[in-house]
Amino acid sequence: MRLRNITGSREIIGESVFVVHEPERQKGNWRNIFGNNNPIHIEIGMGKGRFLMDMAKVYPSINYIGIEKYSSVLLRAIQKMEREEQPLSNVRFIRMDAETIGNVFEMEEVDRIYLNFSDPWPKDRHAKRRLPSREFLARYDKILKKEGQLEFKTDNKDLFLFALEELEPAGWKAEKISYDLHRDKDMSEGNIMTEYEEKFSSIGNPIYKYIIKR
Ligand code: SAM
């Protein structure tokens, strides 16, 4: 997702209290940002933040951090947050490329990672840019607690099959896999849809999901 550049988006982001500026300075201290010791769950490539904010309402005792590469998209998440009757105190946003996520979180500082409808980067030479690639799994390995899980959803079959193949070489294993999440009684229980999930499932695409750990 990349929206048209929106005039003033950098200024709005710069002034937003929901955005953590200079996130590298919080490395190892994210609990201070939230003022509690609740678990930290992050979504990488959160888009306009719908999933993250819906999760935050259902699970107020979890701290959610949404990571998004593009200012124009992050702006939409900020605007959505501002429309909430009550701002969600357990949500923060970061604008960054997840490639450098190891500069932002300390070893094992994160309790769970979500990847939702990650960009497919279909060309082989761009495989390293895919968020479920072995290169990214190595980055997640450092920041995620040893017993932590990573959840990935997509409607892109090729990307999902690629993601499954990456697990073993990267030292991860699947706990649960679904090739049709919305028809999977066990895995769809409590499922919160993302913006893309709603869009693609409404045109009949099956949704793939795995939950993995090391
Ligand atoms: N997760 C949302 C959903 O399911 O509705 C948005 C999905 S959208 C297809 C993927 C988002 O990931 C885009 O907003 C894109 O800018 C962001 N993204 C892609 N690569 C990223 C990276 N390396 N770091 C941070 N965000 C990234």
Side-chain angles (χ1 to χ4, degrees):
M1 184 193 303
R2 194 168 181 184
L3 303 175
R4 218 166 14 91
N5 266 342
I6 298 165
T7 324
S9 65
R10 280 190 188 270
E11 288 71 18
I12 294 169
I13 290 168
E15 285 165 15
S16 173
V17 293
F18 306 116
V19 178
V20 177
H21 310 285
E22 300 186 79
E24 296 81 5
R25 296 176 68 157
Q26 305 306 329
K27 187 173 177 174
N29 295 309
W30 282 93
R31 279 179 172 71
N32 296 347
I33 291 269
F34 293 100
N36 59 46
N37 282 325
N38 292 342
I40 293 176
H41 293 188
I42 67 175
E43 183 186 6
I44 302 179
M46 69 157 175
K48 299 178 195 166
R50 167 177 156 176
F51 170 81
L52 199 82
M53 287 185 236
D54 285 350
M55 290 290 278
K57 287 177 201 164
V58 179
Y59 303 104
S61 307
I62 307 278
N63 295 323
Y64 290 93
I65 301 173
I67 295 170
E68 172 53 49
K69 186 155 81 171
Y70 292 113
S71 302
S72 57
V73 185
L74 176 58
L75 180 70
R76 300 294 188 212
I78 294 170
Q79 290 168 334
K80 184 171 161 47
M81 183 69 115
E82 284 169 352
R83 284 195 301 271
E84 292 288 330
E85 265 178 39
Q86 287 226 314
L88 301 163
S89 60
N90 58 333
V91 174
R92 295 291 186 284
F93 305 130
I94 303 175
R95 198 206 60 75
M96 66 175 290
D97 188 323
E99 251 183 52
T100 57
I101 198 151
N103 297 341
V104 165
F105 295 101
E106 193 50 86
M107 294 278 283
E108 298 193 46
E109 196 171 11
V110 172
D111 293 85
R112 188 172 300 178
I113 298 175
Y114 293 100
L115 306 176
N116 291 317
F117 295 79
S118 309
D119 295 336
W121 292 105
K123 291 186 181 135
D124 283 347
R125 68 190 156 89
H126 291 148
K128 285 182 187 174
R129 298 184 191 175
R130 298 173 192 155
L131 293 180
S133 66
R134 68 188 71 184
E135 288 79 8
F136 272 96
L137 288 175
R139 296 179 181 116
Y140 310 147
D141 182 42
K142 295 200 172 77
I143 63 168
L144 184 66
K145 286 215 164 59
K146 281 283 162 282
E147 68 283 6
Q149 294 176 321
L150 182 152
E151 303 195 6
F152 170 51
K153 293 194 275 192
T154 182
D155 71 319
N156 186 312
K157 191 173 186 181
D158 288 343
L159 180 65
F160 191 65
L161 296 177
F162 164 83
L164 286 173
E165 280 171 13
E166 294 293 272
L167 295 182
E168 203 189 311
W172 293 65
K173 46 186 182 283
E175 283 236 291
K176 289 184 178 181
I177 301 177
S178 177
Y179 291 90
D180 194 350
L181 177 64
H182 295 180
R183 290 202 177 82
D184 184 319
K185 236 180 151 202
D186 167 39
M187 281 185 79
S188 65
E189 206 187 316
N191 181 52
I192 296 219
M193 288 223 258
T194 80
E195 205 160 357
Y196 271 64
E197 183 172 354
E198 183 154 298
K199 186 163 124 188
F200 290 121
S201 61
S202 74
I203 56 167
N205 294 5
I207 305 301
Y208 307 95
K209 174 170 180 173
Y210 72 37
I211 301 176
I212 60 169
K213 60 178 195 173
R214 283 87 103 212

